[in-house]
Amino acid sequence: MLDTLLIRSRAIPSDPPRRRGATTLGPEKDRFGVLKAILAAVPWLQAGMGIAILLAAGLVPWATGKVLGAMDQQILAIDVNGDFVGDSRVAIERQAGNWVGKSYFSTDLSDIKADLERRPWVETVAVRRVWPDRLEINIREKRPLAYWTDGRLVSRTGELFMPPNPEVAGRLPQLAGPDERVRDVIDMARTMSDKLVGHGLGFAGLSLERRGAWTLSLSNGIEVVLGRDQVAKRFERFITVYENRLISRSDEVSRVDARYTNGVAVQWKQAQAASGPKT
């Protein structure tokens, strides 16, 4: 009985013997391996370059500000260029002189541009720096196309403006109409003026009433009523009648009403004078 038990006890497996100096580092070894793999996967060169770029990007504005601050000085002179008819070069130079003594680099050129473009005659302003201490200002004046309602002027770009000296524009056509229809009046005036020149007639003015009726004025003093409808057709009818019937007596014609279907009604200066008040 005892022998059997002893034999069975030898059959039970025992722990394998450990070698001298051996240790169990399996889990720790795995962790270091993962860390090494992560470090190996990081593109250190690219990361270093990225950090350097970020540092440089932060330092450049600072360094630029320091350099500009050291180089900055006062504006000592301003040159004004342009052909002036309505405005005064002296007045513009005096106004621009408000920036003399200001910082060459810190002065906002858009402020100068906006300030000068408030002048009634000024259309556009271009300002630039001229190293080391000057500004150059180029100004373009508005070019008047005609006189407008209430003594205002209308420029070639269709802008209405009221300078203190509109008379310097000289002799110009007289246009009139609602302000919001100024471009319509200009387009119609240009079309009629071109056709009149081709027939030896001069354009003096054009008026558009608020209800839409057009009235044309010629340089020889004749007024042509065109109404609201079929304006182009009535204008052509007037040209035809004028060349065939009225050209020889144009100095006697005061007014032509072209609002009729098959012709025009002519008002003569002599008849107009006869119907006037008697003294």
Side-chain angles (χ1 to χ4, degrees):
M1 185 66 177
L2 180 61
D3 292 340
T4 303
L5 292 174
L6 289 174
I7 292 171
R8 289 180 178 177
S9 65
R10 290 192 190 99
I12 297 173
S14 61
D15 293 336
R18 294 182 180 180
R19 288 180 295 177
R20 182 175 299 175
T23 58
T24 58
L25 297 178
E28 288 79 0
K29 187 174 182 179
D30 290 341
R31 285 196 293 269
F32 282 117
V34 172
L35 179 59
K36 289 180 180 179
I38 293 173
L39 293 176
V42 174
W44 291 106
L45 178 60
Q46 291 87 338
M49 292 179 63
I51 294 173
I53 291 172
L54 290 175
L55 290 174
L59 289 174
V60 166
W62 176 83
T64 303
K66 290 293 184 182
V67 172
L68 292 179
M71 297 174 61
D72 197 10
Q73 52 189 311
Q74 294 181 345
I75 298 170
L76 298 182
I78 297 178
D79 300 324
V80 176
N81 304 315
D83 297 325
F84 302 102
V85 177
D87 215 327
S88 165
R89 182 186 298 272
V90 173
I92 293 175
E93 290 175 344
R94 185 182 301 114
Q95 183 171 338
N98 293 329
W99 278 269
V100 172
K102 304 291 185 180
S103 167
Y104 180 81
F105 286 114
S106 300
T107 298
D108 192 340
L109 301 187
S110 63
D111 291 342
I112 303 176
K113 173 182 171 66
D115 183 62
L116 293 177
E117 286 183 347
R118 294 189 188 100
R119 301 182 67 87
W121 278 101
V122 174
E123 184 171 52
T124 60
V125 175
V127 187
R128 72 181 186 95
R129 294 181 176 90
V130 180
W131 177 258
D133 55 14
R134 305 174 73 86
L135 294 181
E136 183 180 280
I137 300 177
N138 294 291
I139 294 179
R140 184 171 64 185
E141 274 194 344
K142 295 170 185 173
R143 298 176 60 192
L145 175 69
Y147 290 99
W148 189 253
T149 310
D150 301 331
R152 289 174 292 171
L153 291 171
V154 53
S155 71
R156 294 180 182 271
T157 60
E159 180 182 354
L160 296 171
F161 64 105
M162 184 62 187
N165 55 342
E167 68 281 355
V168 302
R171 188 174 180 179
L172 294 172
Q174 178 70 53
L175 303 181
D179 289 354
E180 64 273 15
R181 299 288 303 277
V182 59
R183 292 191 179 275
D184 295 332
V185 177
I186 291 174
D187 292 342
M188 184 70 79
R190 284 174 172 163
T191 299
M192 292 183 175
S193 178
D194 291 342
K195 291 184 179 180
L196 288 172
V197 170
H199 294 279
L201 292 168
F203 176 86
L206 183 65
S207 174
L208 172 63
E209 298 178 12
R210 188 163 293 277
R211 59 187 181 87
W214 296 88
T215 301
L216 170 68
S217 298
L218 305 181
S219 57
N220 59 9
I222 298 177
E223 183 180 83
V224 184
V225 180
L226 299 169
R228 292 180 295 177
D229 305 318
Q230 300 180 333
V231 176
K233 184 176 181 180
R234 291 171 178 176
F235 175 72
E236 293 293 342
R237 184 189 305 135
F238 160 74
I239 294 294
T240 300
V241 173
Y242 181 84
E243 288 190 331
N244 295 334
R245 304 288 298 273
L246 301 177
I247 190 169
S248 61
R249 303 179 61 185
S250 60
D251 57 340
E252 301 177 43
V253 179
S254 173
R255 187 170 184 264
V256 176
D257 190 339
R259 292 175 294 179
Y260 294 86
T261 304
N262 299 319
V264 300
V266 179
Q267 183 175 352
W268 305 93
K269 292 180 180 179
Q270 184 178 5
Q272 184 179 17
S275 61
K278 299 181 179 180
T279 58

